[in-house]
Amino acid sequence: MGTVIAEQTGFSLELPETVRQVQEIVRRFAQERLAPHVRRLDESQILPIELLREAGASGLMGIFIPQEYGGAGLGYYEYVAALIELGAVDGAFGLSVAAHNSLCTGHIYYHGSEAHKRQYLPKLASGEWLGAWALTEPNTGSDASNMDTVAVREGEGWRITGQKNFITHGISADVYVVVARTGERRSPRNATAFIIEKGTPGLLPGKKEDKLGMRASETAWIGLDGVWVPDAQRIGEVGAGFHQAMQVLDGGRISIAALALGIARGAYEAALKYAQERHQFGKALIDHQAIAFKLADMAMELAAAELLTYKAAYLKNTGQPVTRYSAMAKYYASEVGVKICNEAVQVFGGYGYVKDYPVEKYYRDIKLCTIGEGTSEIQQLVISRDILREAGLE
């Protein structure tokens, strides 16, 4: 199977030198600037906007945005590497970076007009502005083609009314990409994307969610009370919004896979260190076969998830169809990440359940990766549909 895959896509694990350089830069940033604040940010649920701006100054808020638009001009290998390093220290910060890059910034870059790119990407890529992406609604999570938020033509623009929820940076964002229905429910090409700036009349940031994990990454609902936007703020053709959103999610799922990898790696490394230091029955935990076998499985699953995630990154970098592999990477990395974090808590025993040790936070944070940007069940649907399509059965 591996040989066939290699022949079909040309995938190679020979990563460029820039990946190592990004790893070093992000690891240093995460350890020196982020790590000292992780517990405080988690407990207070404060979005660290100044740290996000610092990340922007290091190129982390526009990793794959070309330099002509103020970005770092790198690719998805480097993007994956950066999110792994951030996730290993703080999944919440990594989630904010991922959502900003892949969703709002990515949507404008891949589908916006040249004027949109010139106007918004430099501010987003530098971290001067924070981005949000609004697709999910209270009654339509995975069922996005049935959304209640509608945009109706009015004069030289559009009047948008509705509500979005589970929006990363829903309160603090400076610019939002909002997907609204412009056709009949569940009809083809029934949604359109718009760029809406903070402070636009009728744009109402709402309640911040009090979450299990990823607590320092702001999640909130937003109201759209008759928001009027000029037609110039429309992204692409009328009716193209849902198709655009699915393409954006293809890249976003790679970022969630990378984030899950980082969180799981952080939990694994903490468990490995603890197993060497903690002694029971006269020897280190790691010398007990039950613990050693847990660590062996964790290491194996991390390696497999990493290969799958970099495979998806390769396809994205080379412009090949990525839907199946981004879904596979996101599905596998997030599910084994939950397993790895669970096992890490088990290795720590009672100490794994208290906040003085790091694995309880990894355990809380990782679960979001099986839900955000498409649940595991949606990934199974995406993968199975692609398999059936390839076999000529759909």
Side-chain angles (χ1 to χ4, degrees), residues 111-356:
H111 300 288
S113 67
E114 185 63 23
H116 292 151
K117 295 175 186 179
R118 296 288 177 190
Q119 181 175 356
Y120 293 108
L121 292 182
K123 292 179 180 179
L124 289 165
S126 68
E128 178 185 350
W129 276 21
L130 191 62
W133 193 71
L135 176 68
T136 302
E137 297 182 4
N139 297 316
T140 57
S142 299
D143 187 15
S145 65
N146 192 37
M147 68 179 71
D148 294 322
T149 298
V150 295
V152 178
R153 280 192 180 274
E154 183 178 304
E156 296 299 315
W158 298 80
R159 185 74 65 182
I160 306 174
T161 303
Q163 182 177 315
K164 299 290 184 177
N165 72 336
F166 299 135
I167 308 305
T168 302
H169 310 144
I171 296 171
S172 298
D174 297 285
V175 62
Y176 301 72
V177 171
V178 175
V179 183
R181 185 164 54 82
T182 50
E184 296 300 318
R185 294 180 185 274
R186 295 200 177 94
S187 63
R189 298 179 61 82
N190 74 342
T192 305
F194 301 89
I195 300 172
I196 305 177
E197 293 186 18
K198 183 177 185 177
T200 300
L203 178 64
L204 308 171
K207 174 181 175 289
K208 182 168 75 171
E209 303 294 349
D210 187 2
K211 300 177 297 185
L212 169 72
M214 303 289 200
R215 291 168 62 81
S217 180
E218 178 186 276
T219 304
W221 65 265
I222 61 171
L224 297 130
D225 186 14
V227 174
W228 188 87
V229 294
D231 191 56
Q233 295 298 92
R234 170 172 50 85
I235 302 178
E237 297 178 0
V238 175
F242 185 75
H243 181 67
Q244 293 171 4
M246 294 305 101
Q247 290 184 325
V248 167
L249 286 171
D250 279 344
R253 286 165 181 163
I254 298 173
S255 74
I256 297 299
L259 182 59
L261 264 171
I263 296 169
R265 193 191 78 187
Y268 164 74
E269 290 177 348
L272 177 62
K273 183 174 183 290
Y274 184 78
Q276 295 172 73
E277 296 172 347
R278 173 77 165 170
H279 284 69
Q280 291 286 277
F281 302 101
K283 57 183 178 180
L285 287 181
I286 201 168
D287 292 326
H288 293 275
Q289 189 178 74
I291 301 301
F293 279 11
K294 284 184 186 297
L295 292 165
D297 284 345
M298 293 159 75
M300 176 186 66
E301 288 161 345
L302 274 172
E306 184 176 33
L307 285 168
L308 191 52
T309 302
Y310 274 111
K311 170 64 178 287
Y314 167 80
L315 295 174
K316 183 70 174 173
N317 279 344
T318 54
Q320 299 184 61
V322 72
T323 298
R324 183 193 300 190
Y325 279 95
S326 65
M328 285 180 170
K330 195 267 189 190
Y331 175 38
Y332 185 76
S334 64
E335 290 291 342
V336 300
V338 169
K339 181 182 175 183
I340 288 167
C341 292
N342 179 62
E343 292 286 47
V345 171
Q346 201 70 17
V347 170
F348 272 77
Y351 293 112
Y353 207 66
V354 299
K355 291 183 179 292
D356 289 334

Side-chain angles (χ1 to χ4, degrees), residues 18-38:
T18 48
V19 172
R20 184 191 62 79
Q21 294 170 352
V22 167
Q23 285 174 328
E24 291 181 357
I25 291 170
V26 179
R27 187 174 299 156
R28 185 166 57 250
F29 172 84
Q31 291 295 336
E32 295 178 1
R33 302 294 301 128
L34 181 58
H37 308 291
V38 168

